[in-house]
Structure formats: C-alpha cells, structure tokens
C-alpha cells in the first residue's frame, strides 16, 4: 500500500547517524519519517557503552553546538566522566563518558519522541522507490510504500552483515538483530562502489564473578565534567568507577594456540578491521614483543552486572574466549554473559558522495554513518546531522551546507572521506585536523552555534544560553583588559608569591592571565568579581593564554582562504613544475584539481609542493 502521508525526508535506521539525521531534518522544519527495524533499539550502542574520547569528543560537542542529541543523552546516561589529556593543551583535551546503555538509549528515544515534525515507524526498509534517476521513497518489508523527496540511509553494520565466532558464522546486523539482506542486494544493483569492512566486540562478563580487589580502580574526575554545552552535573545519574587489569603471557599463548580457528587468521573474514581498535588476536600478532595489554573493565550500566572488558575484542571460538578471559588477573572465575564476535558488512566508497553526503549517482539519496566506511558512534552521529540537514534543505529548497576543514572536525572528516576514500574503518583523531588550536572541543559552540541558528538547526533555548555565554565572555574580557594591578599594592603582593619575579610595573588582568605561573582563578577576583558562568570563564582563560598561537593559526587560515580560489588552469602542465615529485605530478595530472585548495587536499600533497605550484603559477603570468 501507499502510505497516505508524504514526507520531505525519510531516514532509514535508528542508530547514531539515523537519530541525528532525523532530528536535524525535523528541526529545520522538514516533515520527517524515521524508519527503523525496532523502536526498542533506537540509539542502541552496538559495542562499547562510551561516548567521546580523543578526537571523538570534538565531534560530539560539534553535534551539540548544532543542537543535536548525542551530548545531551550522554549527560543523562553517563556514569563516569573524565577529561583525557587534561594536563596537555586545550586542543587535544577530550571529554569521555562511560554510559549506562539503557539510560542513554532512553534519553535518545525521549528526545526523538518529543521532536516536532518527526514520526517514527518500525519496519525494515527493503527497497527504494525511484522516479527516473532520483529517489522518491522507500518500500518496507511488508510492502508499505513511503514517499519522500529525500532519503537518508544509515544502515550501520547491517547491510549484508555476517557475524563470526571462531569458524562459525551466520547472517546478522549485530548480535540479536537481523541483517539487511534485500536492501543490500538492491543497493549492489545501483552504480555504487561497494566493499566489505569488519569490526568486533569483546565478550561481556558478569561482575559478580570478578575479583575487583586485584584491579586498579579508575574513578571519574571531580568535579564531574559535562558533555553538552547545555548540560549540568545535576542531570548525571550516580557515578561509578571503572577498573584496569592486564593480559599476560599465558593469555597471549592461549590466543596464539587458537589462531588456527580464528576467522581472521584463516582467511574466512575478508573485510579490513579498525586499525585503532584492534582485536586482541591482532594486538598479540602486531605487538609480539609486548608481554601485557591493558584491559579497561567498564560497567555497562547501573542496573546490570554486565561488564565491558575494553581491550579484548575477539572473534576466536568461544572455548578460546573462555580460556583467555579466565587467564586475566581478576577474571579467574569470570562468567561470560555474551561471547565476543566480529561482524563483516557492506560499506560504500565515500568518494561517490558530495560534501553534503548526497550520493553522486542518485539525486536525493544521502548516506551517513558506518556505511560510509567510518567507525564509531560519534563519527556516525556527526555525519547523520549533516546528511539530515542537507536532505531536508534539498526537500525544502534551501541552501545546502557543510563546514570547511578550518571550521569543524565534521568538515575534516567529510573532506577526508570524500577526497581520499577509505580502505579501513575511519575514526577521528585530533591529528587529522590541520587547525587543531582553532578546532577545540571547548569552543565548538563558538564555532558553530551561530551558523546552526541561521540554518534553523538551533532552538531558542540553546540560542539564549549561547548568547548569554558570549555576552558574559565579551564583558569579562573587556573588564580584564581595563583593570590594572599596580606594583607594591595588596593585590600585587597576592600575586608576587606565585610569580618568579615580583611585579615591576603595572599590568592589566588580561596580561597577567597570560603568564605561565598564573591562571584565571588567581587573577580574576583580585579586583572586581570573576564571571559566574564556568564555561565563559574557561573560554576567557584559553583565549588569553593561547592568543599568540591562536592568532597565528587564524593568519594561516586567512592565507589558505585567499589561496582557496586561486584557479589551476585546465591545461596546467605539471610536468614543467620543477621540484615536484613524479608521484605528485601524476596525481595532479590525473585528478586535475580546479583550485589550489583542491590540489592541497590530494593525498601526499605538502605545503612545500603547494608553494612550488604557486611560484610556477606566478611565473606563467
Ligand atoms: P548503527 O548504530 O549500526 O545503526 C544502524 C541502524 O539501522 C539500526 O538501528 C538498525 O536496526 C537500522 N537498520 C539497518 N538496516 C535497516 C533497514 N533495512 N531498515 C530499517 N532499519 C535498518 N565502533 C567503534 O568506534 N569501535 C569499535 O570497536 C566498534 N566495535 C563494534 C563492534 C560491533 C560488533 C559492532 C556491531 C559495531 C562496532 N562499532 C565500533 C561500531 C559502532 O557501533 C558504529 O560505528 C555505530 O553504531 C554506527 O552508527 P550507525 O548509525 O552508522 O549504525
């Protein structure tokens, strides 16, 4: 049957990409349908119940700055929060939260169910409705035809999913969920480049069978960090500890002896797995000289005994899993509640996408999340938000949008994927961004919320909060710059004890904060009152302390933008550019970038090579 209502956007899949896509489309006013296998698994974390971490928290905070759900759900579901790299510079600081998977899922579902313009429907999508070359809707498993102007596909690990435990395998989307076979077949008939990737998960363990007394406890930070710019500690549920233990030589021997029944090492699995989240068998093989590997023992929630032993993801046969788990300190009596497994699935070459995440071959069809070759909830959520916005913008005949590399990690990720494609699961790292000092997790709102408001993504509540913070920051910066401390006054004496040499002349408070020995807390209330807004205070401190570096990076960005539009003529003879490697010449001749900016994104291109092109261009004129 044809469903009577027409939609602007249909999103297939209620995982991390799908939920952000559906919410973003609905937020900007598109009539949206979220079509998913099972309403009970909306926002389900397939693997580790944790959000954020290095590079990833930057994406979460960018989603949040654009009023997405991930950070807010994390604040409501997070049971242990830490800031990683807290002692390093702000560019690489990263908030990470262990979540109660039930509370997290409930928070996502509640945000979805309360979103205006959004309807949810439970059923598998089996096919796409086409109108000529364009997508025009979706056909479900039971033949219901939903019509829409744009469709966002976010099927995660489900397309052609095959689960492996040892040499046994079966079809599955993830443990306990069916795969998407028909839709995968249908997409393989379309002109997309499809390949296989794999990922894996560890066995889960019953906490009642674990001896925590021999493990290192790892509490969360105090005060407890928050993930959302709108978040507060009051929202957090009870906080708990994680623990640390280690594998040992016996564990490694058990694994080595089981490799003849490993689907990875016997060639049964063909897909490439995540390099930065390897299975324990992969780690033993790649780092043969290491006699132990860390295992983070993480609770799956407040109302369950299940533990997630982070670091021993495996697809070895169950008997080997049992033996290896029980060889680990504290796990000698462990009861496994769920076996670890690996999953192979279809993904599409992201080079077949535009920066808006619309596919090049089928107008109106957008891809987001794991199906684009990425791994991780955060990477998926960020793509979902972008695809959802652009799908809705297309249907509502509004301008499309995507952030540049110097504006957001979302921009870095999408540009990396589209320019270079990927042959292994892509995850975000701060090292992928050229402008790390500008793209910090703490300033994601300052980078994106105003744009999000213009696009219609940011609601009134967040906008009001953001404006208040920005105002507080500006006023505080002004106050600090115009408040002076004079030598040999009581204020100066308070500072002298912290300084290497006493103040020899008058300084304003802003300049004092720039000193390495001093911070905002030492200086702000010397004269007048420090700003109450904690986020505004943090921003003021970072902006002052790192102003030199930040300004230099802004200059680089300005220079890059000026070059951005420098055209490279079609007949540019790269052979004539002396100093350029033959490899780069070949790539440039093959790809024929239209501008210097495009050339700069070719893999292997260096700033030195760009300068050579610039010099040659100038000589031609
Ligand atoms: P998913 O979260 O997979 O969501 C897909 C959604 O689409 C599901 O709700 C599904 O029911 C629905 N769906 C699929 N097909 C259809 C259809 N035809 N019709 C209707 N609905 C459909 N990430 C890491 O960063 N590190 C890891 O170590 C890691 N290990 C993993 C191990 C396993 C076993 C699995 C399964 C995943 C692992 N992940 C890991 C990946 C992480 O789970 C994903 O990156 C993330 O969930 C991707 O989000 P997504 O929204 O793209 O897809």
């Amino acid at each position: 049957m044809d469903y009577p209502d027409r939609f602007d956007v249909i999103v297939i899949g209620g995982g991390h990409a799908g939920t952000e896509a559906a919410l973003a489309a609905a937020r900007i006013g598109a009539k949206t349908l979220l079509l998913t296998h099972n309403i009970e698994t909306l926002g389900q974390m397939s693997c580790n119940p944790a959000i954020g971490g290095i590079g990833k928290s930057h994406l979460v905070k960018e989603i949040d700055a654009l009023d997405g759900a991930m950070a807010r759900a994390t604040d409501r579901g997070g049971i242990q929060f830490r800031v990683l790299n807290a002692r390093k510079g702000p560019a690489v600081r990263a908030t990470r939260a262990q979540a109660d998977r039930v509370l997290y899922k409930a928070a996502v579902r509640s945000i979805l169910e309360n979103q205006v313009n959004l309807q949810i429907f439970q059923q598998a999508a089996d096919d796409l409705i086409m109108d000529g070359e364009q997508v025009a809707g979706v056909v479900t498993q039971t033949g219901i035809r939903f019509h829409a102007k744009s469709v966002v596909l976010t099927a995660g690990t489900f397309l052609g999913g095959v689960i492996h435990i040892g040499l046994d395998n079966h079809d599955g989307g993830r443990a306990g969920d069916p795969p998407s076979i028909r839709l995968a077949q249908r997409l393989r008939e379309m002109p997309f480049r499809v390949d296989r990737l794999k990922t894996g998960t560890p066995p889960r363990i019953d906490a009642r069978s674990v001896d925590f007394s021999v493990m290192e406890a790892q509490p969360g930070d105090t005060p407890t960090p928050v993930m959302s710019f709108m978040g507060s500690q009051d929202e957090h549920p009870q906080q708990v500890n994680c623990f640390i233990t280690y594998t040992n030589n016996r564990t490694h021997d058990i694994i080595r002896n089981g490799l003849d029944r490993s689907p990875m090492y016997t060639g049964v699995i063909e897909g490439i797995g995540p390099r930065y989240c390897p299975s324990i068998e992969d780690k033993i093989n790649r780092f043969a000289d290491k006699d132990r590997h860390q295992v983070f023992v993480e609770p799956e929630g407040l109302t369950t005994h299940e533990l997630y032993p982070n670091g021993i993801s495996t697809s070895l046969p169950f008997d080997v899993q049992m033996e290896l788990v029980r060889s680990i300190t504290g796990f000698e009596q462990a009861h496994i509640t769920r076996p670890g497994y690996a999953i192979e699935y279809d993904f599409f070459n992201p080079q077949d996408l535009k920066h808006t995440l619309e596919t090049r071959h089928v107008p109106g069809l957008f891809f987001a999340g794991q199906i684009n070759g990425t791994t991780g909830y955060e990477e998926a959520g960020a793509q979902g938000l972008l695809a959802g916005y652009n799908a809705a913008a297309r249907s509502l005949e509004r301008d499309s949008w995507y952030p540049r590399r110097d504006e957001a990690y979302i921009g870095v990720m999408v540009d990396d994927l589209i320019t270079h494609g990927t042959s292994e699961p892509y995850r975000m790292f701060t090292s992928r961004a050229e402008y790390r000092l500008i793209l910090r997790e703490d300033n994601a709102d300052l980078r994106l919320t105003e744009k999000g408001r213009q696009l219609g993504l940011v609601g009134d509540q967040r906008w009001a909060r953001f404006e208040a913070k920005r105002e507080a920051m500006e006023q505080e910066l002004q106050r600090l710059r115009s408040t002076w401390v004079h030598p040999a006054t009581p204020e100066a004496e308070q500072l002298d004890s912290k300084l290497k040499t006493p103040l020899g002349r008058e300084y304003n408070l802003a300049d004092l904060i720039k000193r390495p020995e001093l911070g905002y807390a030492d200086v702000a209330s010397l004269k007048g009152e420090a700003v109450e807004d904690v986020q505004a205070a943090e921003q003021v401190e970072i902006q002052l302390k790192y102003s030199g570096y930040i300004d230099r990076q802004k200059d680089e960005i300005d220079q890059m933008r000026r070059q951005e539009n420098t055209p490279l003529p079609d007949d540019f003879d790269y052979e004539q550019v002396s100093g350029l490697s033959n490899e780069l010449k070949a790539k440039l001749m093959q790809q024929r970038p239209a501008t210097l900016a495009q050339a700069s994104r070719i893999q292997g291109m260096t700033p030195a090579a760009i300068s050579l092109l610039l010099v040659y261009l100038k000589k031609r004129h």
Side-chain angles (χ1 to χ4, degrees):
M1 71 162 272
D2 281 305
Y3 193 77
D5 298 341
R6 307 250 146 179
F7 292 91
D8 293 315
V9 175
I10 297 174
V11 176
I12 304 174
H16 307 275
T19 52
E20 295 295 351
L23 288 166
R27 282 205 300 284
I28 75 157
K31 189 170 172 196
T32 305
L33 178 73
L34 175 57
L35 180 62
T36 193
H37 274 144
N38 184 351
I39 289 180
E40 305 303 327
T41 62
L42 286 169
Q44 171 121 324
M45 296 163 136
S46 313
C47 190
N48 184 2
I51 296 281
I54 295 168
K56 290 172 173 269
S57 67
H58 294 66
L59 289 170
V60 181
K61 300 224 175 200
E62 289 177 2
I63 296 171
D64 190 55
L66 295 165
D67 225 357
M70 191 171 268
R72 279 184 287 152
T74 306
D75 280 330
R76 292 192 217 164
I79 54 177
Q80 191 233 34
F81 287 79
R82 291 194 308 136
V83 176
L84 311 180
N85 285 337
R87 289 201 196 91
K88 295 193 182 161
V92 294
R93 266 176 226 156
T95 310
R96 180 192 188 276
Q98 190 65 30
D100 175 311
R101 62 168 74 248
V102 176
L103 291 177
Y104 182 86
K105 225 165 54 163
V108 171
R109 182 162 168 185
S110 141
I111 295 170
L112 286 165
E113 287 184 346
N114 288 298
Q115 176 64 50
V116 180
N117 301 324
L118 178 59
Q119 299 294 340
I120 302 171
F121 192 77
Q122 170 172 309
Q123 200 153 116
D126 267 8
D127 201 354
L128 299 173
I129 304 171
M130 300 298 291
D131 176 7
E133 303 268 280
Q134 298 203 45
V135 76
V138 180
V139 187
T140 71
Q141 199 176 14
T142 58
I144 305 170
R145 295 165 64 83
F146 287 101
H147 294 267
K149 293 180 202 149
S150 304
V151 172
V152 185
L153 180 67
T154 69
T157 51
F158 287 65
L159 293 175
V162 177
I163 287 177
H164 298 263
I165 304 178
L167 299 178
D168 291 331
N169 55 60
H170 62 273
D171 292 346
R174 70 185 155 207
D177 284 317
S180 284
I181 302 292
R182 284 225 207 125
L183 187 61
Q185 277 163 355
R186 182 73 180 95
L187 289 159
R188 277 182 177 255
E189 289 160 17
M190 294 182 158
F192 300 116
R193 288 176 280 179
V194 189
D195 217 328
R196 301 285 276 173
L197 287 175
K198 80 117 204 171
T199 187
T201 198
R204 308 300 201 269
I205 293 171
D206 186 331
R208 293 170 300 177
S209 62
V210 170
D211 180 2
F212 292 100
S213 69
V214 292
M215 298 182 183
E216 218 175 288
Q218 193 189 41
D221 290 352
T222 335
T224 318
V226 288
M227 193 62 91
S228 170
F229 292 106
M230 304 277 284
S232 98
Q233 280 99 354
D234 303 341
E235 289 174 277
H236 292 165
Q238 180 197 338
Q239 299 295 294
V240 296
N241 286 349
C242 293
F243 292 84
I244 297 174
T245 184
Y246 297 90
T247 61
N248 52 51
N249 282 326
R250 198 161 79 78
T251 320
H252 300 185
D253 286 340
I254 294 165
I255 292 166
R256 275 189 213 103
N257 290 334
L259 288 184
D260 59 341
R261 288 186 291 142
S262 149
M264 273 174 62
Y265 286 87
T266 50
V268 178
I269 292 181
E270 286 168 5
I272 297 171
R275 182 197 306 221
Y276 307 103
C277 216
S279 63
I280 187 66
E281 46 270 37
D282 216 8
K283 282 196 256 187
I284 306 297
N285 196 39
R286 268 166 49 193
F287 310 106
D289 53 324
K290 277 196 137 193
D291 55 14
R292 66 176 199 171
H293 291 278
Q294 211 165 30
V295 182
F296 292 95
V297 182
E298 301 170 338
E300 291 248 344
L302 296 173
T303 50
T304 170
H305 295 299
E306 275 195 306
L307 297 172
Y308 180 96
N310 189 348
I312 54 166
S313 160
T314 182
S315 55
L316 286 164
F318 183 67
D319 57 302
V320 183
Q321 294 190 22
M322 275 298 293
E323 216 188 330
L324 86 84
V325 163
R326 289 194 167 183
S327 71
I328 295 172
T329 309
F331 286 167
E332 291 82 356
Q333 308 296 324
H335 170 70
I336 292 181
T337 53
R338 305 177 203 219
Y341 66 92
I343 183 162
E344 270 189 297
Y345 54 91
D346 285 358
F347 84 104
F348 302 98
N349 185 331
Q351 288 173 304
D352 290 339
L353 299 171
K354 300 177 186 170
H355 277 75
T356 55
L357 298 183
E358 185 175 12
T359 59
R360 288 184 189 278
H361 301 302
V362 180
L365 179 62
F366 294 72
F367 286 172
Q370 193 98 357
I371 60 166
N372 288 339
T374 59
T375 173
Y377 312 128
E378 304 81 355
E379 289 80 352
Q383 289 171 66
L385 188 149
L386 189 65
Y389 169 79
N390 283 305
R394 179 181 182 275
S395 301
L396 302 175
E397 297 180 8
R398 299 219 209 133
D399 288 341
S400 60
W401 174 75
Y402 60 88
R404 289 189 314 264
R405 297 183 73 92
D406 58 323
E407 288 177 315
Y409 273 85
I410 304 178
V412 172
M413 173 173 60
V414 168
D415 191 57
D416 279 351
L417 290 169
I418 283 154
T419 315
H420 306 310
T422 188
S423 53
E424 58 182 344
Y426 175 102
R427 73 150 281 179
M428 186 43 81
F429 287 108
T430 48
S431 57
R432 296 197 190 271
E434 304 75 346
Y435 306 112
R436 277 191 289 286
L437 261 178
I438 306 279
L439 304 188
R440 304 184 310 272
E441 69 160 31
D442 61 79
N443 70 350
D445 55 345
L446 295 165
R447 292 186 273 117
L448 294 171
T449 298
E450 186 163 1
K451 183 69 197 177
R453 180 71 176 172
Q454 286 161 11
L455 296 172
L457 284 167
V458 171
D460 292 344
Q461 216 187 337
R462 182 177 296 269
W463 182 242
R465 166 81 188 90
F466 173 74
E467 282 204 305
K469 170 178 166 184
R470 200 164 51 174
E471 172 84 19
M473 277 173 56
E474 277 161 17
Q475 277 182 9
E476 181 62 349
L477 278 168
Q478 232 168 31
R479 180 184 79 89
L480 296 171
R481 286 188 183 120
S482 58
T483 307
W484 295 82
V485 174
H486 301 271
T489 57
E491 295 87 29
E493 275 162 23
Q494 274 189 49
L495 294 178
D496 284 347
S497 60
K498 294 174 185 149
L499 291 169
K500 283 193 197 120
T501 48
L503 288 187
R505 62 172 177 85
E506 60 173 14
Y507 283 95
N508 65 39
L509 300 184
D511 282 338
L512 287 170
I513 291 175
K514 290 182 191 169
R515 294 198 163 204
E517 309 97 309
L518 299 176
Y520 181 81
D522 302 306
V523 172
S525 1
L526 276 180
K527 281 183 157 183
E529 277 181 29
V531 65
E532 259 180 44
D533 184 327
V534 184
Q535 286 182 30
E538 182 196 25
Q539 260 330 287
V540 165
E541 177 163 37
I542 292 174
Q543 287 192 9
L544 288 172
K545 275 214 171 293
Y546 297 89
S547 58
Y549 301 101
I550 291 172
D551 290 347
R552 206 174 315 149
Q553 207 150 81
K554 281 188 179 152
D555 288 346
E556 277 174 38
I557 292 171
D558 285 346
Q559 197 187 344
M560 190 265 303
R561 282 199 199 148
R562 280 197 298 277
Q563 287 175 5
E564 184 130 290
N565 299 324
T566 307
L568 291 170
D570 264 355
D571 61 346
F572 196 116
D573 189 357
Y574 293 100
E575 285 293 357
Q576 301 302 316
V577 185
S578 56
L580 210 56
S581 72
N582 285 337
E583 191 193 336
L584 277 179
K585 281 180 187 169
K587 281 187 181 167
L588 285 159
M589 283 191 294
Q590 193 215 345
Q591 298 189 24
R592 291 251 158 239
T595 61
L596 260 188
Q598 277 181 16
S600 70
R601 291 197 286 270
I602 290 178
Q603 204 152 26
M605 186 59 78
T606 59
I610 289 291
S611 308
L612 291 172
L613 293 182
L614 263 175
V615 170
Y616 186 78
L617 270 176
K618 278 192 190 133
K619 269 202 227 152
R620 269 173 56 120
H621 291 298

